[in-house]
Amino acid sequence: MSTMTRRDVDHIFEALRMGLVPERGIEAIAEGIEKQRGEIHRQLELVRAGEGTIKFLRGGYGCGKTFMARLAALDAQNRNFATSFVIVSEAEFRFHRFDDVYRKVMTELGTAVCPRGAFGDILDRWIARIEASLGEAADDDPDFDAKVRKRLDDDLVSATNGQAPQDFVSVIQTIFDLKQKGKVAEAGALISWLCGSSNIGAATKKLANIKGEIESGTALDYLRGVVAIIKAAGYDGLVIVIDEAETILRMRKDSRHKSLNGIRQIADAAGSYPGLLWLITGTPDFFDTQHGVRGLPPL
């Protein structure tokens, strides 16, 4: 068990007083869930070995699904995984819009050293690993940056089997170039664009020769590139928790059906995303009623 600080203890008690699941330190109060926790650990080992997979966590209101999901994310980070914990909401999360899913995943992306918004830190770690692998000749080799840039490209192509969108590769290249020139603000803006932001100016996007925003039809291909970078940065993979999927049941019929079909598409494709585990929680109503999973036979 990790050493807890006074701040962690206070956070746990305050969260419990409000009827909420603490976001950290909950391994100290995790009892009686060894079987479920062991299954999560088994899934993590599959992902570490290069598999892509999806797991559903089912239980009634108040039974501890969110606690188990939070604990799974903490366990994953302690085992060298990046994680993203996303709570489904009617207003901000449409599961059939993969650009929505992607943006929320990237916003909540975290690691053991960077709890939230970690993609910039992950990028820096990847670049640093490449620079270290090329030796210590950076000051003496005028072509050093070009060699690093080529390795960035080669790593992405190799890890994604060439399936990363060209815009994704172009933005990564431009971010590296801007960082080398000391243009940190512009590089940060393009990192925000890669995280799904729609508030990036045309002049900044022009630097990377891109237009518009990440669209639903390509968002999961961008996610493939993100997983590749996470692994190249030295992490063992990515765990995405989607909590409270039963919220979908309160959506309008057309949106509900599209969202369920979106989950079906993710489940169908899970095996083709090596290094990625989806963990989705839901109540029995989500799984058993015609408004939920039972109403979409393929799912």
Side-chain angles (χ1 to χ4, degrees):
M1 183 185 299
S2 60
T3 302
M4 294 184 64
T5 65
R6 181 73 236 177
R7 182 167 172 262
D8 291 333
V9 173
D10 290 342
H11 167 74
I12 290 173
F13 276 103
E14 286 306 309
L16 293 178
R17 285 189 184 105
M18 293 185 288
L20 303 175
V21 176
E23 294 187 8
R24 61 181 187 275
I26 58 176
E27 64 272 17
I29 56 174
E31 297 291 340
I33 52 174
E34 290 77 13
K35 180 179 179 181
Q36 294 89 338
R37 199 174 183 185
E39 172 59 18
I40 297 299
H41 295 171
R42 187 183 75 84
Q43 293 290 324
L44 293 177
E45 289 306 312
L46 286 173
V47 173
R48 178 178 280 125
E51 298 293 327
T53 185
I54 186 169
K55 191 74 177 179
F56 292 88
L57 186 62
R58 167 192 168 116
Y61 287 106
C63 78
K65 294 189 304 302
T66 297
F67 184 96
M68 188 69 241
R70 288 280 185 198
L71 183 61
L74 288 172
D75 281 351
Q77 289 189 1
N78 289 336
R79 284 164 168 74
N80 197 42
F81 287 83
T83 66
S84 183
F85 195 100
V86 177
I87 300 174
V88 179
S89 66
E90 293 180 71
E92 301 177 358
F93 193 92
R94 298 165 294 178
F95 222 116
H96 61 286
R97 290 294 305 269
F98 292 136
D99 50 332
D100 277 4
V101 177
Y102 175 85
R103 183 175 61 257
K104 290 291 288 183
V105 166
M106 296 301 288
T107 298
E108 302 300 330
L109 183 63
T111 65
V113 296
C114 187
R116 193 169 184 267
F119 188 58
D121 179 72
I122 290 169
L123 267 178
D124 287 343
R125 289 171 181 269
W126 175 35
I127 293 170
R129 282 170 63 92
I130 290 176
E131 290 175 341
S133 72
L134 291 175
E136 301 179 357
D139 294 333
D140 303 323
D141 185 353
D143 297 324
F144 187 78
D145 285 355
K147 292 177 180 177
V148 174
R149 201 177 195 270
K150 185 177 186 305
R151 274 288 301 275
L152 293 172
D153 296 349
D154 291 345
D155 281 1
L156 276 178
V157 171
S158 174
T160 64
N161 292 320
Q163 297 182 52
Q166 184 55 48
D167 280 356
F168 184 90
V169 177
S170 176
V171 173
I172 294 294
Q173 292 170 336
T174 306
I175 290 170
F176 173 73
D177 292 341
L178 290 170
K179 283 178 175 287
Q180 297 307 100
K181 296 174 182 176
K183 297 183 177 181
V184 179
E186 292 89 341
L190 286 177
I191 290 173
S192 295
W193 185 88
L194 268 183
C195 291
S197 174
S198 59
N199 297 317
I200 308 303
T204 300
K205 288 187 280 191
K206 189 176 180 180
L207 295 172
N209 196 30
I210 57 174
K211 297 179 180 179
E213 283 75 48
I214 296 171
E215 298 177 346
S216 181
T218 58
L220 293 185
D221 291 328
Y222 277 80
L223 183 60
R224 189 187 302 276
V226 169
V227 175
I229 289 174
I230 286 171
K231 295 180 70 176
Y235 295 98
D236 289 330
L238 171 62
V239 177
I240 298 174
V241 177
I242 305 293
D243 194 29
E244 300 184 10
E246 65 273 6
T247 304
I248 292 171
L249 302 181
R250 299 198 293 269
M251 296 179 179
R252 287 171 29 186
K253 182 178 179 180
D254 57 340
S255 295
R256 183 174 69 243
H257 182 81
K258 290 176 181 177
S259 291
L260 289 168
N261 193 55
I263 295 176
R264 192 271 305 168
Q265 289 177 268
I266 287 174
D268 283 350
S272 66
Y273 287 76
L276 174 58
L277 166 63
W278 294 87
L279 179 63
I280 301 177
T281 79
T283 61
D285 281 350
F286 172 73
F287 293 100
D288 295 341
T289 67
Q290 289 297 318
H291 285 173
V293 170
R294 188 176 292 277
L296 187 69
L299 181 59

